[in-house]
C-alpha cells in the first residue's frame, strides 16, 4: 500500500483522561480548539465516554516521521489542557487509582480505606495496580452501622452524613495506622436511607490532624452509582494531594 500510494506516514494517538465534566461540557469548553483542529484537519480530536474510567479526549496525529507526529500531539495536547486541564487526571494508560497511588508515593504517604456504600470496590480497584502495597495499608468494609461504630468510632445516629464520613476517615486512619484515611458512605438504593435520597455520597478525607468531607449527588442505578462513587472519591483525594505540594 505504501508503494502504491507513494506516501509514508506515521499515525500516533494520545488520550487525556478526564473526570468532573460532562461530555457536552467538555465539548463546549473545547469549542475553539475543535474549530481550529477542524480547519486544518490534523490532528483529529474525539471523545469517548468510558463510565467509571471517565471521559477520554483522544488526539490522533498523522505525520511523515515519529518525531513530527509526537511534536504535533504535544502541541495540541497543550492547547486542550489550556481549556480543560482542571479535569484532566491522567494520560493514555494511567487510571485514577494509579495516579492517586503515584501521588501518595511522591509524598511518602500511606492510605487506608473505610468503605460502606462501595462495599470494597475501591480497595479492589487499587489492588489491581502493581506495587500498590508500598502505600496501601488496607480497607475496612464497614457495611453495617455497628461495624462503623465499633471499629471506626462513628457516633450513634445517621450513618449517611458528613459527620459519619469524617469519623470513618479519622477512624480508619487510626485503626490502620496510616497517613491518609479515605471514607465513603452513601445511598446506592433501591430506597433512601437516613432521609437521604438514592445517589447521595459523602466522602471523608483525613490527613494528619485535618479532616474534611464532600457531599455529592450521583446519577444512575445501584451499580452505576457505586462505580461513580469510586472514581469521584479518588478524584477528591487526588485534588487534595495535588494541593499539598
Amino acid at each position: 500500500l505504501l508503494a502504491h500510494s507513494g506516501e509514508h506516514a506515521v499515525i500516533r494517538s494520545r488520550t487525556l483522561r478526564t473526570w468532573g465534566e460532562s461530555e457536552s461540557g467538555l465539548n463546549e469548553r473545547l469549542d475553539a480548539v475543535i474549530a481550529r483542529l477542524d480547519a486544518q484537519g490534523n490532528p483529529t480530536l474525539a471523545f469517548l465516554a468510558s463510565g467509571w474510567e471517565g471521559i477520554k479526549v483522544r488526539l490522533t496525529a498523522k505525520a511523515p516521521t515519529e518525531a513530527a507526529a509526537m511534536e504535533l500531539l504535544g502541541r495540541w495536547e497543550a492547547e486542550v489542557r489550556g481549556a480543560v486541564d482542571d479535569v484532566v487526571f491522567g494520560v493514555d494508560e494511567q487510571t485514577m487509582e494509579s495516579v492517586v497511588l503515584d501521588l501518595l508515593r511522591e509524598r511518602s504517604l500511606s492510605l487506608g480505606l473505610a468503605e460502606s456504600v462501595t462495599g470494597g470496590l475501591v480497595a479492589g480497584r487499587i489492588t489491581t495496580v502493581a506495587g500498590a502495597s508500598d502505600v496501601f495499608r488496607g480497607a475496612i468494609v464497614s457495611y453495617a452501622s455497628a461495624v462503623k461504630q465499633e471499629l471506626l468510632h462513628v457516633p450513634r445516629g445517621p450513618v449517611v452524613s458528613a459527620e459519619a464520613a469524617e469519623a470513618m476517615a479519622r477512624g480508619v486512619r487510626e485503626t490502620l495506622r496510616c497517613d491518609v484515611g479515605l471514607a465513603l458512605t452513601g445511598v446506592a438504593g433501591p430506597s433512601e436511607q437516613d432521609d437521604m435520597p438514592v445517589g447521595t455520597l459523602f466522602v471523608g478525607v483525613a490527613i494528619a490532624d485535618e479532616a474534611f468531607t464532600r457531599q455529592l449527588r450521583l446519577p444512575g442505578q445501584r451499580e452505576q452509582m457505586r462505580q461513580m462513587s469510586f472514581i469521584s472519591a479518588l478524584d477528591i483525594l487526588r485534588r487534595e494531594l495535588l494541593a499539598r505540594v
Side-chain angles (χ1 to χ4, degrees), residues 56-75:
K56 300 172 183 176
V57 181
R58 185 178 64 202
L59 289 163
T60 302
K62 180 179 179 181
T65 66
E66 175 90 11
M70 300 307 290
E71 190 279 331
L72 199 55
L73 286 175
R75 179 151 43 93

Side-chain angles (χ1 to χ4, degrees), residues 104-186:
L104 289 165
R105 279 190 201 94
E106 291 168 7
R107 289 154 178 76
S108 299
L109 297 172
S110 58
L111 172 68
L113 299 173
E115 299 188 59
S116 181
V117 64
T118 42
L121 186 63
V122 183
R125 286 289 298 241
I126 283 178
T127 54
T128 63
V129 180
S133 60
D134 59 356
V135 292
F136 181 52
R137 290 279 292 169
I140 296 176
V141 182
S142 53
Y143 212 61
S145 297
V147 176
K148 295 180 180 68
Q149 294 156 3
E150 294 166 10
L151 292 183
L152 300 174
H153 317 300
V154 174
R156 293 189 179 277
V159 293
V160 182
S161 66
E163 293 75 17
E166 180 176 332
M168 288 169 66
R170 289 185 183 274
V172 77
R173 181 178 173 273
E174 177 184 343
T175 300
L176 297 184
R177 299 178 183 178
C178 51
D179 300 306
V180 180
L182 177 67
L184 300 88
T185 182

Side-chain angles (χ1 to χ4, degrees), residues 82-99:
V84 298
D85 197 45
D86 58 309
V87 294
V88 175
F89 67 83
V91 180
D92 292 335
E93 300 306 312
Q94 289 181 309
T95 62
M96 184 68 80
E97 54 268 37
S98 73
V99 168

Side-chain angles (χ1 to χ4, degrees), residues 3 26 37 46 61 101-102 107 117 125 160 174 187 193 214:
L26 281 174
L37 284 170
L101 289 171
D102 285 342
R107 289 154 178 76
V117 64
R125 286 289 298 241
V160 182
E174 177 184 343
V187 187
Q193 181 181 351
R214 297 284 185 270

